[in-house]
């Protein structure tokens, strides 16, 4: 075994011991942070205390209030204090969702457990959910069960969940490693380095641009428990890109893009509440879709866009109007996604008249009842193909939250779409 491998194994063992030491000082570090710290230690002298300190501190902690505990742990680590000489770790306090970030929302996970003392006393036969992270609980809890505390904790997670915009082929060209178009100017320029001989050919290909993303959100009474988390999610989406448009509908259609573009989430929601006149009222989905096609589709807003309808499908108007409006919407759009909170129930079937009338014109059918389902929605939107050839018209593919197919749903049928490119 080479000396380099031996030294790396020693560093890995020491780092694992330091991670256990940090937990004794009530600092939770995940595997991703330890992997980052291992890479940082690989570029510094492991015998230099100053370099090792800053490599570990910059990799393992991210908040100012953790510095004091980290310094104490590092001093004990560098002085060679054994774990047996340290007191046993105290039960972790309930840090809520702010201390942890779910694995699907960002690249790293900071798992923190609930304090049993903060929860209600369990009865006989009931088990405490020890080790079940606060963030995981928020991800799986139905929005109907959210209280003010859960909504406040989920807001911080939803603001990090802005969906990546779908891509489309642009008419602009960009340099490429290979392509159908020869870049003559770049080829001749590179030939000057080889006495005029074009030894290396240069190519150009069509660039990728962001596709417009449209949201139509049902704000009727039956959707009230789900609307507020969805609007927080959409406020983050509007902050991430100007190519996101948001409309609400109940008994009338209202454009909310300008209100949600406010950087302050609380102020944005206040403006939305003042702008929407039909909040928690009736539902006329068909009339809203018809009005959207007439006013905004006529301006070309729908053409080539990804349209996401968030509704439970309860229609109090004429279902034939809804069916015709959805057909027109699908003909112009790149993809139509319907997010139904009721789909989170395993026994749900789209049997209500409104949902049954709209589903033939829906390409992807997703749940929207919790944080995990919105995470799946963001993954599906980011993985949509560049043109319409991967979409099965009217298929209404039904995807459950957390299902493996949800993350790659849009790429499932590449090369099977009917119709040509639509940008």
């Amino acid at each position: 075994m080479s000396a380099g491998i031996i030294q790396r194994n020693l560093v890995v063992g020491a780092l694992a011991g330091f991670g256990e030491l940090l937990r004794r000082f009530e600092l939770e570090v995940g595997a991703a942070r330890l992997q980052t710290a291992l890479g940082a230690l690989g570029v510094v002298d492991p015998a230099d205390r100053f370099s090792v300190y800053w490599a570990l501190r910059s990799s393992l902690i991210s908040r100012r209030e953790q510095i004091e505990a980290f310094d104490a742990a590092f001093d004990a680590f560098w002085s060679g204090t054994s774990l047996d000489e340290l007191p046993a770790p105290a039960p972790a306090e309930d840090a809520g969702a702010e201390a942890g970030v779910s694995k699907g929302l960002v690249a790293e996970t900071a798992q923190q457990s609930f304090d049993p003392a903060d929860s209600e006393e369990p009865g006989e036969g009931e088990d405490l959910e020890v080790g079940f992270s606060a963030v995981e609980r928020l991800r799986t809890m139905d929005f109907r069960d959210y209280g003010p505390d859960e909504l406040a904790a989920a807001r911080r997670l939803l603001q990090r969940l802005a969906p990546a915009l779908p891509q489309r082929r642009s008419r602009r060209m960009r340099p490429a490693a290979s392509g159908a178009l020869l870049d003559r100017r770049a080829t001749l320029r590179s030939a000057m380095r080889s006495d005029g001989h074009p030894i290396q050919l240069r190519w150009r290909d069509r660039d990728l641009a962001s596709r417009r993303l449209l949201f139509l959100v049902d704000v009727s009474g039956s959707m009230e428990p789900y609307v507020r988390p969805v609007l927080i999610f959409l406020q983050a989406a509007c902050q991430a890109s100007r190519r996101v448009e948001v409309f609400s509908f109940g008994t009338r259609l209202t454009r909310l893009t300008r209100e949600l573009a406010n950087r302050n989430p609380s102020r944005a929601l206040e403006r939305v509440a003042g702008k929407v006149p039909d909040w928690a009222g009736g539902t006329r989905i068909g009339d809203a879709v018809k009005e959207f096609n007439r006013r905004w589709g006529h301006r070309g807003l729908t053409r080539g866009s990804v349209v996401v309808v968030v509704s439970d499908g309860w229609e109090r108007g004429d279902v034939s109007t809804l069916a015709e409006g959805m057909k027109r919407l699908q003909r112009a759009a790149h993809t139509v996604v319907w997010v139904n909170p009721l789909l989170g129930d395993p026994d749900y079937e789209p049997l209500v008249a409104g949902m049954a009338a709209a589903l033939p014109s829906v390409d992807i059918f997703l749940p929207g009842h919790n944080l995990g389902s919105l995470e799946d929605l963001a993954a599906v939107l980011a993985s949509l193909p560049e043109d319409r050839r991967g979409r099965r018209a009217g298929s209404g593919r039904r995807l459950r939250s957390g299902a493996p197919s949800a993350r790659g749903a849009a790429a499932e049928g590449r090369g099977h779409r009917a119709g040509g490119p639509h940008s």
Side-chain angles (χ1 to χ4, degrees), residues 89-272:
E93 297 182 355
D94 181 7
E98 187 173 12
V101 180
S102 95
K103 181 171 59 178
L105 301 181
V106 291
E108 64 186 25
T109 303
Q111 299 266 334
Q112 298 227 356
S113 302
F114 285 112
D115 187 354
D118 294 337
S119 60
E120 298 179 358
E121 288 293 332
E124 294 185 4
E126 295 181 359
D127 295 327
L128 286 173
E129 295 180 344
V130 179
F132 195 71
S133 75
V135 173
E136 189 64 26
R137 177 174 174 269
L138 286 174
R139 290 183 68 249
T140 56
M141 181 186 294
D142 195 291
F143 287 142
R144 292 176 298 181
D145 301 327
Y146 271 29
D149 295 338
E150 287 81 7
L151 185 61
R155 173 180 293 185
R156 291 182 283 271
L157 301 177
L158 286 165
Q159 289 168 359
R160 302 187 182 105
L161 193 54
L165 293 182
Q167 301 294 306
R168 63 177 178 86
R169 287 286 180 179
S170 172
R171 296 185 182 275
R172 295 180 179 272
M173 306 297 291
R174 60 176 174 81
S178 61
L181 182 63
L182 178 66
D183 190 341
R184 300 179 181 179
R185 179 177 297 180
T187 299
L188 292 176
R189 188 183 298 115
S190 65
M192 297 176 63
R193 304 174 184 174
S194 54
D195 296 331
H197 299 287
I199 298 176
Q200 186 174 7
L201 300 181
R202 304 289 183 175
W203 302 93
R204 294 176 67 82
D205 200 358
R206 292 175 64 181
D207 201 357
L208 292 177
S210 297
R211 191 178 292 279
R212 184 181 290 111
L213 194 56
L214 303 177
F215 288 90
L216 303 177
V217 183
D218 187 347
V219 295
S220 62
S222 60
M223 285 288 295
E224 188 174 11
Y226 303 99
V227 169
R228 189 172 294 273
V230 170
L231 288 178
I232 296 174
F233 170 73
L234 296 182
Q235 191 269 342
C238 290
Q239 286 295 309
S241 174
R242 295 182 179 179
R243 295 188 64 79
V244 176
E245 291 282 346
V246 181
F247 296 82
S248 71
F249 64 88
T251 56
R252 65 183 68 183
L253 185 71
T254 307
R255 184 170 181 257
L256 301 178
T257 307
R258 186 171 299 175
E259 285 71 22
L260 290 174
N262 194 294
R263 294 186 177 182
N264 188 317
S266 300
R267 189 172 301 172
L269 292 179
E270 290 176 1
R271 292 185 177 183
V272 166

Side-chain angles (χ1 to χ4, degrees), residues 334-335 363-364 384-393 395 397 409-420:
H334 172 272
T335 304
D363 302 304
I364 301 176
L384 286 174
E386 299 157 8
D387 54 39
R388 302 183 73 178
R389 287 175 296 181
R391 190 190 73 182
R392 299 174 184 172
S395 64
R397 283 169 293 161
E412 159 191 302
R414 292 195 184 189
H416 297 285
R417 283 190 181 178

Side-chain angles (χ1 to χ4, degrees), residues 36-52:
T36 303
L38 182 61
L41 291 176
V43 296
V44 300
D45 182 4
D48 183 1
R49 173 172 177 154
F50 180 82
S51 301
V52 171

